[in-house]
């Protein structure tokens, strides 16, 4: 059986979910039976790579992706700040509305 991630699923898809123990279903359905899983309430988006961008540019990209700007933490001396790190890894899939925290500093 090929592993399925939520990023691969579309509304209406049928998947089988098993725990790490062989053939023990996670959804309380008898082995060999099907179960419908409604994923329509989960809306996912790709997290942009914000490294090297200004905090303003980062906030704009997050909004465009359906994400929210979280806490901005500054390190180092004052000056022209850029994003050094972000709390949610770039190019991963996250639910829309996820808050992404930024660590910004002088390059």
């Amino acid at each position: 059986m090929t592993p399925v991630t939520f990023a691969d699923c579309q509304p209406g898809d049928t998947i089988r979910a098993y725990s790490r123990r062989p053939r023990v279903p996670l959804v309380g359905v008898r082995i060999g039976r099907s179960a419908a899983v409604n994923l329509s309430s989960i809306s996912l988006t790709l997290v942009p790579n914000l490294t090297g961008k200004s905090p303003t540019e980062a906030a704009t990209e997050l909004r465009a992706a359906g994400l929210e700007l979280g806490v901005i933490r500054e390190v180092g001396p004052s000056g022209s700040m850029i994003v050094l790190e972000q709390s949610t890894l770039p190019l991963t899939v996250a639910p829309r509305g996820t808050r992404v925290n930024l660590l910004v500093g002088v390059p």
Side-chain angles (χ1 to χ4, degrees):
M1 178 181 292
T2 304
V4 176
T5 64
F6 286 115
D8 299 328
C9 298
Q10 299 295 321
D13 284 354
T14 301
I15 61 170
R16 290 184 182 206
Y18 292 94
S19 70
R20 292 192 186 275
R21 294 183 304 180
R23 309 304 260 172
V24 178
L26 292 175
V27 290
V29 177
R30 288 187 183 142
I31 294 174
R33 300 277 187 190
S34 296
V37 179
N38 182 0
L39 299 176
S40 62
S41 63
I42 301 172
S43 182
L44 302 173
T45 187
L46 190 65
V47 179
N49 183 0
L50 306 171
T51 305
K53 305 210 187 287
S54 73
T56 303
E57 292 170 324
T60 300
E61 286 198 34
L62 286 171
R63 274 193 301 276
L67 301 166
E68 294 184 24
L69 179 61
V71 176
I72 298 177
R73 200 176 88 195
E74 296 180 7
V75 295
S78 297
S80 181
M81 301 279 187
I82 63 165
V83 176
L84 303 173
E85 293 180 18
Q86 61 192 80
S87 62
T88 306
L89 292 174
L91 307 179
T92 58
V93 177
R96 289 189 180 277
T98 298
R99 290 186 176 272
V100 179
N101 301 324
L102 304 177
L103 177 67
V104 299
V106 178

